[in-house]
Amino acid sequence: MKIKNLGLLSIASTLIFTPAVFSQSGIKDEVRFFDHYFNDAVAVTGKYLEGGAYFGDFDGGSIFQFGAQGGMPVAPGVDAGARWSIINWDPDYGDGESGLSDIELWGRYRLEQTEIPAKVTVGGMLTLPVGEEKVGEGNVDLGVFAAGRMPLDNGIVAMGSLGLNFIEYTDAFGDDDREMSLHLGGGVIFEFSPQTHGTAEFAMDTKEDYFALTGGVDRLLPTGARLRGAISLGLDDGAPDLALQGSYMIRF
């Protein structure tokens, strides 16, 4: 982790672990975060599908992704999800590349407890190496996480997420190797109106030199679908300097 991130990490840790004043407003399961779409604590009661686009601007070029993610309950307190996309990498110098990403598979188990109104989920992630190496894919990555949501005063919901990811990479000798990366994230949901919510979150992954702040808006449409958009600012070398994303989510 870079030295410049230590102060931000201290602030982020305080956000997650500071005791909160509870309310009875619920944890807003219908509103999803952007950087913590799956590694979050929500109750999934039906099938959902979301399609969208992502643009990220890095020092050495830009990336554009178009893909889909979704999930469904598979047992009481258990749900599964998946994500897949098409990637286009456009470097500042040289030719660009396009190709499929790996498929991410997620599973979550919601812990039952009644002592406090917070909800806690544990789960894991696995990538299927079906993506193309020319866009940096084709790896088997593994991860485990624990996440919680907690209602606060004034309809605000706080979220914290902690995980360990085991990232596959190719070393200087061409051999496959694996590194462990710590993930730390947190955020809040706040209500503009019953149909419109805002989100603010941070995400950090140590081995990938990734640290970003993301602010988003989630709008419930009259059809029952949700229109979502967000902007991210990168604070470390592995994160885009600026990223934009938008999506359309349906439940059925």
Side-chain angles (χ1 to χ4, degrees), residues 32-76:
R32 305 292 287 268
F33 285 96
F34 291 85
D35 283 346
H36 297 87
Y37 193 82
F38 289 116
N39 50 340
D40 183 14
V42 295
V44 175
T45 58
K47 298 176 182 177
Y48 62 93
L49 180 64
E50 182 170 4
Y54 172 94
F55 171 80
D57 183 43
F58 295 81
D59 286 341
S62 61
I63 188 171
F64 178 80
Q65 290 180 250
F66 178 79
Q69 54 193 2
M72 62 182 181
V74 295

Side-chain angles (χ1 to χ4, degrees), residues 34-213:
F34 291 85
D35 283 346
H36 297 87
Y37 193 82
F38 289 116
N39 50 340
D40 183 14
V42 295
V44 175
T45 58
K47 298 176 182 177
Y48 62 93
L49 180 64
E50 182 170 4
Y54 172 94
F55 171 80
D57 183 43
F58 295 81
D59 286 341
S62 61
I63 188 171
F64 178 80
Q65 290 180 250
F66 178 79
Q69 54 193 2
M72 62 182 181
V74 295
V78 180
D79 69 278
R83 176 187 289 137
W84 202 13
S85 63
I86 299 171
I87 300 174
N88 175 260
W89 167 246
D90 183 20
D92 290 339
Y93 304 99
D95 297 329
E97 298 284 358
S98 297
L100 292 173
S101 74
D102 297 331
I103 297 176
E104 291 183 20
L105 300 178
W106 290 80
R108 295 184 294 194
Y109 175 68
R110 192 169 65 256
L111 301 179
E112 296 295 337
Q113 52 78 35
T114 58
E115 295 179 358
I116 59 175
K119 302 298 182 182
V120 178
T121 295
V122 295
M125 177 272 294
L126 168 68
T127 63
L128 303 181
V130 301
E132 300 180 57
E133 293 184 6
K134 61 183 180 180
V135 290
E137 301 291 290
N139 300 315
V140 178
D141 298 331
L142 306 168
V144 294
F145 73 91
R149 281 195 183 195
M150 181 179 298
L152 308 181
D153 274 344
N154 302 318
I156 296 173
V157 175
M159 178 273 296
S161 183
L162 179 66
L164 288 176
N165 297 318
F166 302 89
I167 308 300
E168 183 180 16
Y169 71 99
T170 302
D171 63 22
F173 302 100
D175 299 323
D176 291 335
D177 205 345
R178 194 171 296 278
E179 284 191 346
M180 183 176 69
S181 179
L182 171 68
H183 174 83
L184 180 64
V188 292
I189 298 171
F190 45 94
E191 183 177 300
F192 295 123
S193 73
Q195 293 78 32
T196 305
H197 291 81
T199 64
E201 62 188 301
F202 73 92
M204 184 194 74
D205 292 282
T206 55
K207 287 299 181 180
E208 291 125 303
D209 292 333
Y210 183 94
F211 200 115
L213 302 177

